[in-house]
Amino acid sequence: MYQELKNRLESHLRDVLKAKYDLTVENIPLETPPDLKFGELATPIAFELARKLRKAPKVIAQEIVGSLGTPRGFASFEIAGAGYINAYLDRVVAVRMMTSGEDSEPVKSDIHALVEHTSINPNKAAHIGHLRNAILGDTFVKLLRAAGQQVAVQNYIDNTGVQVADVVVGFLHLEKKSLAEVRALIEDLELHFQRVDFYCWDLYARTSQWYTSGTDAENEERKKLRYATLHEIEQGGNETAAVADLISTAVLRRHLETMLRLGIEYDFLPRESEILHLNFWALAFEQLKQKGVLYFENEGKNKGCWVMSRTGAASNGQGEAGAQEVDEDAKVIVRSNGTVTYVGKDIAYHLWKFGLLGRDFGYRKFFSYPDHECWISTENGEEPHPHFGGAQAIYNVIDSRQSDPQANVIQALRGMGYTEQADHYTHFGYEMVALTPRCAAELGYEVAEEDSARPYIEVSGRKGFGVKADDLIDKLIAATRFEVDTRQTSRDDQERQVIAEQIAIGALRYFMLKFTRNSVIAFDFKDALSFEGETGPYIQYAVVRARNIFRKGSITPEAVLREFAGSDPGAFLMGENGEDIWSLWLRAGRRSSVLEQCIATSEPAYLAKHAFQLAQEFNNFYHKHHVLTELDPERRMFLLATAAITMRELITVLEWLGIESPEAM
């Protein structure tokens, strides 16, 4: 409702300025006043026009207000201070917009967006840091879809990288296993419902420590072995590569199962092996050379490399370093030994994402969800298959440490003349997840005395210090189940388990979303699971409270809103007693406005904050107004409608956050 009326006022103001001053103003500034006594919207437009019109802002404001009239949804306009224009909504119209669902349906968008998230190296179990990536990405997908966009979800699989090579070294050289023995081990683990990704978690840590545990000479040989293994995996067609494929595929399946526990699904799994073997880079390399983005360096530290000048570097305009000075800061894309850097392969991949490469993957079905198939890349695939790639907007959920490589890809796109694509390429960066000392101790880790006073402790997969995602989820569910068993004694075991899982997953997802992306998260069980304060369970409990009103009143929210549609709530929205309830309706009506803000800033935390504030205002309403014991039938219906709208909005925004609303808690 709020965004719809805001858009209406913006359009009306634009028309007034054109008619009165013959001015075309594209961006009309509209703000939310700090207090309802100043209205629901305000604009400083008069100040912006003062110099152009050569009039005092207050005079301009008076002229504008005199021409505004009262567009539908607005009660009045008022001039404040030296020229602010405050707008007061017609509360009855606003309430009817919400109860009729007039503002609920998103406008269908022609935008085909591609969101890449999760992208865990398939060498060991997913950990707590991966959960932040996946939850952020999945939530943003839900937001884009809520805004009417067509969205494809991709999970990039680096199955030829050094992390996979390390696990292969562990299997082949520490455990001395053959390809057949690795296959048998994986089959045996699966047969006994054990986790291959957990097995690899320990093996990866052991291998990482093995590289530095010998003499200097031994460590040097082990390092050579590591890179020889990596080379064999990249090359393909050998037993080492076959072991890598076997392990990475088995681990990948476990990753998808882990993420499904959080309601996270994917459409396509592009793998680095196909990017290499289908020669994506060769096509990209030709484009980059033809368009002068890369040049061959003949001098300096990058001699023999193909490099790309960084933004602002000196150039002679022909794609080569300036004649007088070698650009030592140029980004190496192809090393002097002919190998391609991570950025080079990423440029090729993003040309494919935008449909600019001229080559495609093969596709085959890999993982089945209840309502769709997840496909994986292959060299020779199945037909028919869905179309992937060719996106108009790309969002890459990758941690903030990858900001520089991401910027390099955008720079390459611009250099190739793909300006529009570069403008619609968003690096959705975020900071790390750590543990509070209390949480680390609860997980069984020994916390040194000097660490116990720190705000957080960093995790490390190489050192084996971290939290497996599944272990974290299991522990959250177990803790929640204990509380549910205590409170819900009349429900059967299955019902209590479902409720426990809904609360635990809701707690985890909300904890990962409530912090802005540039914040380091220190995870803590007690903080995440609390029923008080800014937590998922607190918001879920507000929905349960609303449901209890309708259950005890033997009426449904839908029936209430149908009956309420013909009433006049004006008397209950005005005056001192009506301000707090109007504030709740107004908060509930901000959903589409918050959605727009989240997408514009790539920041789901705004929606998490909105959900909490809405739950907070509803809880205040719940304690102050006794809905079912209200004697005045018209006021009782109004209070029921308030609860119905709030419940509807809370359930909707929780769905966008990927959080279910339990029937009981």
Side-chain angles (χ1 to χ4, degrees):
M1 169 272 292
Y2 187 78
Q3 186 63 37
E4 286 73 13
L5 292 176
K6 183 178 179 182
N7 292 344
R8 188 176 298 171
L9 178 58
E10 183 179 358
S11 177
H12 191 59
L13 277 167
R14 196 176 289 115
D15 292 343
V16 166
L17 296 177
K18 180 65 176 175
K20 189 163 189 65
Y21 303 116
D22 195 26
L23 289 176
T24 300
V25 182
E26 290 299 324
N27 298 309
I28 305 289
L30 288 171
E31 303 169 358
T32 301
D35 194 296
L36 281 175
K37 67 184 178 183
F38 301 120
E40 289 82 13
L41 285 164
T43 178
I45 187 66
F47 295 95
E48 295 191 5
L49 298 177
R51 179 171 294 182
K52 186 173 290 187
L53 296 177
R54 297 187 178 183
K55 294 181 181 181
K58 194 162 189 174
V59 172
I60 297 171
Q62 289 168 341
E63 292 175 350
I64 292 173
V65 168
S67 301
L68 278 173
T70 51
R72 180 176 178 266
F74 292 86
S76 63
F77 298 93
E78 176 185 273
I79 300 161
Y84 257 89
I85 300 173
N86 293 337
Y88 295 83
L89 298 186
D90 183 325
R91 297 181 178 184
V92 173
V93 170
V95 163
R96 285 178 177 160
M97 285 178 68
M98 293 186 66
T99 54
S100 68
E102 185 180 333
D103 63 336
S104 297
E105 292 299 318
V107 177
K108 184 72 174 176
S109 170
D110 293 330
I111 295 176
H112 171 214
L114 189 160
V115 178
E116 178 194 324
H117 67 78
T118 307
S119 304
I120 308 170
N121 290 314
N123 69 316
K124 63 180 181 357
H127 60 61
I128 189 171
H130 298 135
L131 292 181
R132 186 177 196 186
N133 182 307
I135 290 169
L136 279 170
D138 180 63
T139 303
F140 199 66
V141 168
K142 295 179 190 301
L143 296 180
L144 292 175
R145 287 176 175 163
Q149 295 190 29
Q150 304 168 56
V151 187
V153 186
Q154 298 193 2
N155 177 359
Y156 183 79
I157 310 302
D158 184 2
N159 61 335
T160 64
V162 68
Q163 288 82 4
V164 170
D166 287 345
V167 174
V168 171
V169 168
F171 275 112
L172 296 182
H173 300 283
L174 270 71
E175 299 198 337
K176 310 293 184 184
K177 294 186 186 298
S178 65
L179 172 61
E181 288 171 328
V182 173
R183 181 179 290 109
L185 171 66
I186 293 172
E187 290 173 354
D188 186 62
L189 289 170
E190 291 178 347
L191 182 65
H192 292 89
F193 302 101
Q194 296 178 20
R195 302 286 300 254
V196 63
D197 53 339
F198 283 23
Y199 186 97
C200 291
W201 174 285
D202 296 330
L203 181 58
Y204 177 68
R206 282 167 47 208
T207 306
S208 297
Q209 292 157 15
W210 179 72
Y211 286 136
T212 58
S213 62
T215 64
D216 289 346
E218 287 173 333
N219 292 343
E220 185 62 30
E221 287 303 310
R222 291 169 184 177
K223 182 178 178 182
K224 290 178 182 177
L225 176 64
R226 180 192 206 188
Y227 288 105
T229 301
L230 178 63
H231 178 71
E232 289 179 358
I233 293 171
E234 288 182 344
Q235 189 176 40
N238 52 68
E239 183 165 320
T240 300
V243 170
D245 182 64
L246 188 64
I247 295 165
S248 61
T249 302
V251 170
L252 173 58
R253 287 190 183 276
R254 301 291 82 79
H255 288 171
L256 298 188
E257 291 169 358
T258 298
M259 295 306 161
L260 190 55
R261 299 181 72 185
L262 302 175
I264 298 172
E265 301 179 0
Y266 310 92
D267 299 312
F268 178 48
L269 310 170
R271 298 189 297 183
E272 180 144 330
S273 53
E274 277 70 55
I275 289 177
L276 292 172
H277 301 153
L278 292 172
N279 296 313
F280 275 27
W281 168 247
L283 293 175
F285 191 31
E286 287 306 310
Q287 283 199 51
L288 288 163
K289 288 189 293 184
Q290 288 172 11
K291 298 188 177 183
V293 177
L294 298 186
Y295 64 90
F296 189 78
E297 183 59 84
N298 291 300
E299 299 180 37
K301 68 175 185 179
N302 294 329
K303 182 179 180 180
C305 300
W306 284 92
V307 299
M308 178 175 73
S309 291
R310 295 182 185 269
T311 303
S315 170
N316 63 10
Q318 298 177 345
E320 298 179 357
Q324 302 301 317
E325 184 177 346
V326 173
D327 181 9
E328 296 284 7
D329 196 39
K331 179 66 181 178
V332 174
I333 303 299
V334 182
R335 303 180 187 93
S336 58
N337 63 3
T339 59
V340 185
T341 63
Y342 166 81
V343 172
K345 288 181 281 189
D346 215 25
I347 291 169
Y349 175 41
H350 282 87
L351 287 173
W352 170 83
K353 279 186 178 182
F354 279 121
L356 302 171
L357 187 65
R359 183 165 295 171
D360 200 1
F361 293 103
Y363 301 92
R364 65 178 171 86
K365 297 184 185 74
F366 183 76
F367 194 90
S368 294
Y369 295 111
D371 61 350
H372 76 283
E373 293 286 339
C374 177
W375 295 71
I376 195 167
S377 64
T378 184
E379 291 183 51
N380 300 297
E382 302 173 20
E383 294 289 349
H385 60 76
H387 175 69
F388 297 102
Q392 295 162 305
I394 288 172
Y395 298 90
N396 291 333
V397 185
I398 302 174
D399 77 46
S400 299
R401 290 169 293 186
Q402 297 299 316
S403 294
D404 186 60
Q406 289 287 295
N408 293 148
V409 176
I410 294 172
Q411 181 190 340
L413 289 171
R414 291 196 189 284
M416 298 170 78
Y418 300 129
T419 305
E420 185 177 351
Q421 286 82 358
D423 289 342
H424 291 89
Y425 181 121
T426 301
H427 173 210
F428 198 102
Y430 63 92
E431 291 296 335
M432 69 173 180
V433 181
L435 305 175
T436 63
R438 178 174 64 186
C439 182
E442 288 175 353
L443 288 164
Y445 289 107
E446 186 175 334
V447 178
E449 187 175 345
E450 62 269 21
D451 289 336
S452 62
R454 294 171 57 193
Y456 60 81
I457 302 174
E458 293 183 33
V459 298
S460 170
R462 290 191 179 278
K463 296 177 182 177
F465 177 76
V467 186
K468 299 183 189 75
D470 283 281
D471 285 349
L472 175 65
I473 295 169
D474 289 343
K475 191 171 180 65
L476 285 168
I477 292 173
T480 308
R481 179 62 194 264
F482 177 80
E483 290 294 325
V484 172
D485 285 345
T486 304
R487 298 166 184 242
Q488 301 294 328
T489 54
S490 63
R491 296 180 182 271
D492 64 31
D493 184 76
Q494 185 176 356
E495 286 180 304
R496 282 182 277 170
Q497 183 64 21
V498 168
I499 292 170
E501 289 176 3
Q502 289 174 327
I503 296 170
I505 299 304
L508 176 58
R509 288 191 68 121
Y510 191 85
F511 196 88
M512 292 294 183
L513 292 167
K514 73 175 183 176
F515 298 96
T516 54
R517 294 185 290 112
N518 60 358
S519 305
V520 173
I521 293 179
F523 187 82
D524 187 273
F525 288 107
K526 185 177 179 182
D527 292 344
L529 288 171
S530 175
F531 277 48
E532 298 298 327
E534 193 175 351
T535 67
Y538 176 84
I539 303 167
Q540 289 173 315
Y541 193 57
V543 177
V544 170
R545 275 184 161 161
R547 282 201 171 114
N548 286 338
I549 290 173
F550 296 102
R551 184 163 51 247
K552 291 175 182 177
S554 300
I555 190 170
T556 67
E558 294 77 16
V560 165
L561 293 179
R562 281 195 302 270
E563 187 175 342
F564 179 72
S567 64
D568 182 359
F572 307 119
L573 291 165
M574 305 301 177
E576 188 175 336
N577 292 331
E579 287 296 293
D580 65 319
I581 300 182
W582 166 240
S583 177
L584 176 56
W585 278 85
L586 188 61
R587 175 76 63 190
R590 292 185 190 276
R591 186 218 314 161
S592 55
S593 179
V594 176
L595 174 63
E596 190 172 286
Q597 182 186 23
C598 289
I599 293 174
T601 59
S602 301
E603 184 54 87
Y606 292 124
L607 185 65
K609 177 66 74 175
H610 169 72
F612 170 65
Q613 291 172 333
L614 182 56
Q616 210 173 27
E617 289 199 37
F618 175 75
N619 283 332
N620 292 336
F621 163 85
Y622 179 86
H623 289 299
K624 184 175 180 180
H625 302 280
H626 303 291
V627 179
L628 296 178
T629 57
E630 174 59 52
L631 298 178
D632 181 342
E634 290 187 3
R635 180 172 173 77
R636 183 175 184 272
M637 180 55 63
F638 172 65
L639 295 177
L640 282 168
T642 302
I645 284 294
T646 309
M647 188 176 85
R648 183 191 76 187
E649 294 300 313
L650 279 172
I651 290 172
T652 299
V653 297
L654 283 175
E655 283 177 355
W656 291 355
L657 294 169
I659 298 172
E660 293 184 275
S661 301
E663 288 294 326
M665 290 177 70

